[in-house]
Amino acid sequence: MDLRCLRCFVAVAEELHFTRAAARLHIEQSPLSRTIRKLESDVGASLFERGGRGTHLTWAGQVLLRDARRVFAVLEQARINVKAAATGYRGMLRIALSDGIAQTRLTALLALCREEEPDVGIRLFETPFAAQVRGMRDDSFDAGFAQSDEAGEGIHCETLWSDPLVAAIPNRHPLLAFKQIPLEELLKYPLVMYHPEACHGASRQIKRILRSTDIRPNIAERAVTLELMLTLVAAGYGLGFATASQISICRHPEIVTRPLADGSARMTTFLLRPHREPSEPLQHFIDRARLLRDNSCLPEQA
């Protein structure tokens, strides 16, 4: 099995059409078909089912596609690492972010890393929580920040910081009469909530806070990003939630924020990493994140 055969296989597996795959690879269809037959012979399994309803992956084909993508991801990372090394970097950390992590704290951490260890590169990846955890298990990511610690076996979760939860309200709304809004008053109105798959941790933490009342929330819309949530709130679809630090970055001219009367309503951010001995650059990264937490380098925003 060589890389050329694997590239041909991935193209057919993703297109599920030999003609389109051949065009994508800039080759004729006949040699592509021969390559796939040879690959099937080499691995001792049928990879595709061909019939009147088109081409489909067999179970063996699905397994090979997952592993082939992992092979090419490792090769791409090797290329990036070599290129980085040629420019003076000693290493590259791959950090996954989910749930729209508070930018001000992340900015301070990245700036500290660049100042103290400029020869270690950091790449950030925005991804849903499930993909973030999956990536740490298959070595696509070195660590991550999330608002959930429900990562399961093999992932170490550590509390980093928490931020006050605030209500996002359209200007000229009746609730602006409150300087601090009781949840019971807020839940009289429709809400724009985060999508539970795109923002797993934020969605679950907010739902947990809302359960402190006996009022069933009226969810008008679900948003996959903070920006979309603020847009829908400004358009009058409902009220939203965010952390004070998020709002400080993503200010909207038609939205006013108010703190909640329940001062314990906060969003917690966790540092996630595979449950194994971290590399030296990753350990330094973790130490700096803890330093920002323990020294309270960033004032809380009310």
Side-chain angles (χ1 to χ4, degrees):
M1 190 188 307
D2 59 34
L3 290 179
R4 185 184 67 85
C5 289
L6 276 184
R7 291 190 192 279
C8 290
F9 165 73
V10 170
V12 178
E14 291 179 346
E15 298 290 344
L16 291 178
H17 195 283
F18 276 78
T19 301
R20 289 198 298 267
R24 169 175 157 179
L25 294 166
H26 306 292
I27 61 174
E28 297 294 328
Q29 183 176 336
S30 295
L32 175 60
S33 298
R34 287 196 298 271
T35 299
I36 296 300
R37 285 197 297 270
K38 180 181 183 303
L39 181 59
E40 289 178 322
S41 175
D42 290 343
V43 300
S46 295
L47 302 174
F48 296 97
E49 293 177 351
R50 307 164 181 83
R53 295 186 176 181
T55 301
H56 302 280
L57 281 166
T58 63
W59 171 241
Q62 294 176 43
V63 171
L64 181 59
L65 178 60
R66 183 180 64 238
D67 289 341
R69 283 172 169 162
R70 188 177 297 124
V71 167
F72 288 121
V74 170
L75 288 173
E76 174 62 15
Q77 188 61 51
R79 185 189 67 80
I80 292 170
N81 290 346
V82 170
K83 186 175 180 180
T87 58
Y89 285 121
R90 287 196 299 108
M92 180 72 69
L93 293 177
R94 302 157 298 169
I95 308 299
L97 311 174
S98 65
D99 293 307
I101 297 304
Q103 295 93 333
T104 48
R105 296 184 186 274
L106 185 60
T107 298
L109 175 57
L110 294 176
L112 186 60
C113 290
R114 285 179 61 85
E115 177 184 348
E116 295 187 349
E117 207 165 13
D119 53 350
V120 174
I122 297 176
R123 294 188 69 199
L124 302 179
F125 302 82
E126 288 189 287
T127 179
F129 180 72
Q132 182 183 38
V133 172
R134 211 164 41 240
M136 278 183 274
R137 288 204 171 104
D138 66 19
D139 198 34
S140 297
F141 305 131
D142 299 299
F145 295 97
Q147 287 177 334
S148 175
D149 60 350
E150 300 171 355
E153 188 177 351
I155 303 297
H156 177 78
C157 301
E158 177 178 348
T159 301
L160 273 187
W161 52 68
S162 68
D163 294 279
L165 194 67
V166 299
I169 304 170
N171 52 21
R172 297 185 298 276
H173 193 278
L175 283 181
L176 294 181
F178 292 90
K179 290 186 177 180
Q180 295 183 326
I181 301 178
L183 272 179
E184 293 79 4
E185 292 295 327
L186 190 144
L187 289 175
K188 293 178 181 178
Y189 298 89
L191 302 179
V192 179
M193 296 285 282
Y194 293 112
H195 194 283
E197 292 182 11
C199 303
H200 173 82
S203 174
R204 290 181 70 85
Q205 287 198 49
I206 292 173
K207 282 176 64 177
R208 197 175 298 126
I209 291 168
L210 297 185
R211 287 197 200 105
S212 63
T213 73
D214 295 327
I215 304 173
R216 184 183 180 88
N218 174 16
I219 302 174
E221 291 288 345
R222 294 190 182 274
V224 297
T225 64
L226 172 67
E227 291 78 7
L228 179 57
M229 183 273 287
L230 294 177
T231 298
L232 293 173
V233 170
Y237 282 74
L239 310 179
F241 296 97
T243 64
S245 53
Q246 286 174 322
I247 292 294
S248 70
I249 298 294
C250 301
R251 295 190 182 278
H252 195 291
E254 298 176 29
I255 288 179
V256 179
T257 62
R258 285 286 189 271
L260 300 179
D262 181 0
S264 66
R266 306 175 71 86
M267 296 286 285
T268 302
T269 297
F270 302 92
L271 173 64
L272 281 58
R273 63 175 176 84
H275 207 301
R276 57 174 178 263
E277 191 69 24
S279 66
E280 183 180 346
L282 180 57
Q283 185 60 60
H284 293 169
F285 180 86
I286 294 169
D287 291 342
R288 293 185 189 102
R290 291 169 177 166
L291 180 68
L292 289 178
R293 174 195 64 193
D294 297 340
N295 290 352
S296 300
C297 294
L298 290 172
E300 287 189 354
Q301 302 172 40

